[in-house]
Amino acid sequence: MNFTDEDCLPETLAFNEQFEAAAANRPARGQAPNAATLALLRRNRLGGDAPPVRLPHGRDRIVEGGVPVRVFVPDRVDGVYLHIHGGGWAFGSADGQDERLWRIAEQARLAVVSVDYRLAPEHPFPAGPDDCEAAARWLVDHAAAEFGTERLLIGGESAGAHLAVVTLLRLRDRHGLTGAFRAANLLFGPYDLSMTPSQRTFGPRQLLSNTDTLRGGYDLFTPRMGEERRRSPEVSPLFADLAGLPPARIVVGTEDPLLDDSLFLAARWHTAGARVHLGVVAGAMHGFTLFPLTVTEREQRREWDFLASA
């Protein structure tokens, strides 16, 4: 396995230590958060303690199926990126990272459509996947008229990466659409909700995600499901037939409990016959792109290059 950004390892590991040290001052994520904790986590930026910045470039819309989306359109549009935010299916929002999405729009020359899918525990599986599927189908039908292009890309971070793969599988299996999206951009996603070995063995380290928070997130998103049910391909795309999916870029850090998920998915993506690029970032924790690190700056530029050229 080849790691990227090993020259940044001292900075990356030092940040991890600082993040762990501050864990006592952060609200806990996990099983059945109370209403106050849930509201606080949803109000603040993912990984932060302040609300996100909303930019005037973003436009809120409701598309077919009643799904809210947030749209960014730069001066030049060479394609459309369907973005699905992370947050353990229970947190995050389409307007939670306007600055990052606007930079993608400008640097990769893409209209960005971010899905504000329904969140657990109020709306557990399959509500979130249903909303992402509806937004994707709307783009397939209307991207040319709305944005002047039929070049579609899809991707997301963490739970959003999971939902991106689920959406591609639904388009293929339910609607016979295998070429509508030309590439997938998948950052540190959970692809086996019955838990891969790295998820189970990561333990209680107080990084952005650990064994307990993952298990708690699965209980919120898929309540009353046992491990066997969570291995269903419609829930855990690692167990799905991946034939006919587009080229993918899969990124994860070595200090992420979801490391195995990306390694295993990349192998299966390749075996299914599609091109895949796997990036394993030395020392990076789950959600590292949320923080002001050298590896974050590099990852963003690699992301822009992939989305611009895919």
Side-chain angles (χ1 to χ4, degrees):
M1 187 192 313
N2 294 320
F3 302 143
T4 67
D5 309 296
E6 290 186 277
D7 59 313
C8 301
L9 191 57
E11 177 198 34
T12 307
L13 293 179
F15 178 82
N16 293 353
E17 291 183 8
Q18 294 168 9
F19 191 90
E20 284 190 85
N25 298 320
R26 293 194 300 271
R29 288 174 54 187
Q31 291 180 318
N34 61 44
T37 299
L38 191 64
L40 178 64
L41 288 166
R42 287 179 175 173
R43 184 174 69 246
N44 287 344
R45 181 181 65 85
L46 286 174
D49 56 4
V53 175
R54 276 178 61 94
L55 296 181
H57 311 287
R59 184 162 51 102
D60 297 317
R61 294 188 54 179
I62 304 292
V63 300
E64 289 178 12
V67 178
V69 298
R70 188 156 174 81
V71 181
F72 299 84
V73 183
D75 292 336
R76 175 178 168 183
V77 175
D78 293 340
V80 184
Y81 180 43
L82 182 63
H83 170 262
I84 308 176
H85 70 79
W89 306 278
F91 316 105
S93 62
D95 65 353
Q97 45 186 326
D98 278 13
E99 293 165 309
R100 175 176 176 270
L101 296 184
W102 179 241
R103 285 196 296 270
I104 290 175
E106 288 192 304
Q107 296 293 329
R109 302 181 300 278
L110 299 171
V112 177
V113 177
S114 189
V115 188
D116 213 14
Y117 57 90
R118 287 170 290 173
L119 299 175
E122 300 93 330
H123 304 285
F125 178 90
D130 288 348
D131 291 348
C132 295
E133 177 189 357
R137 290 198 65 200
W138 174 77
L139 267 186
V140 171
D141 293 338
H142 299 285
E146 292 278 349
F147 305 107
T149 178
E150 294 182 338
R151 177 175 172 260
L152 304 180
L153 313 162
I154 191 171
E157 312 84 39
S158 193
H162 165 271
L163 290 169
V165 182
V166 168
T167 299
L168 289 172
L169 293 169
R170 285 180 169 217
L171 291 177
R172 183 196 67 187
D173 297 341
R174 299 183 177 193
H175 311 290
L177 296 169
T178 56
F181 285 83
R182 301 190 186 185
N185 181 50
L186 308 173
L187 276 61
F188 36 78
Y191 308 115
D192 175 5
L193 275 62
S194 70
M195 304 190 79
T196 54
S198 64
Q199 292 189 46
R200 294 176 181 274
T201 61
F202 189 83
R205 289 189 65 190
Q206 294 298 307
L207 297 176
L208 193 65
S209 188
N210 60 33
T211 298
D212 289 339
T213 60
L214 288 169
R215 186 174 286 116
Y218 301 155
D219 287 342
L220 293 177
F221 180 53
T222 56
R224 297 176 298 281
M225 281 192 191
E227 286 188 10
E228 191 61 33
R229 176 69 178 86
R230 286 176 180 159
R231 291 191 187 98
S232 168
E234 66 177 2
V235 177
S236 293
L238 187 61
F239 297 96
D241 174 6
L242 302 180
L245 299 192
R249 177 175 180 269
I250 298 174
V251 176
V252 71
T254 61
E255 301 302 306
D256 191 328
L258 298 172
L259 175 61
D260 282 351
D261 294 62
S262 286
L263 300 183
F264 297 168
L265 186 73
R268 295 215 55 240
W269 209 284
H270 174 74
T271 301
R275 295 195 310 276
V276 60
H277 173 80
L278 173 65
V280 182
V281 182
M285 71 174 181
H286 186 72
F288 70 92
T289 56
L290 294 167
F291 305 104
L293 296 164
T294 302
V295 291
T296 298
E297 296 175 7
R298 292 181 180 181
E299 165 55 28
Q300 288 175 340
R301 293 190 179 280
R302 292 189 289 252
E303 181 177 57
W304 299 338
D305 290 345
F306 174 77
L307 293 173
S309 61

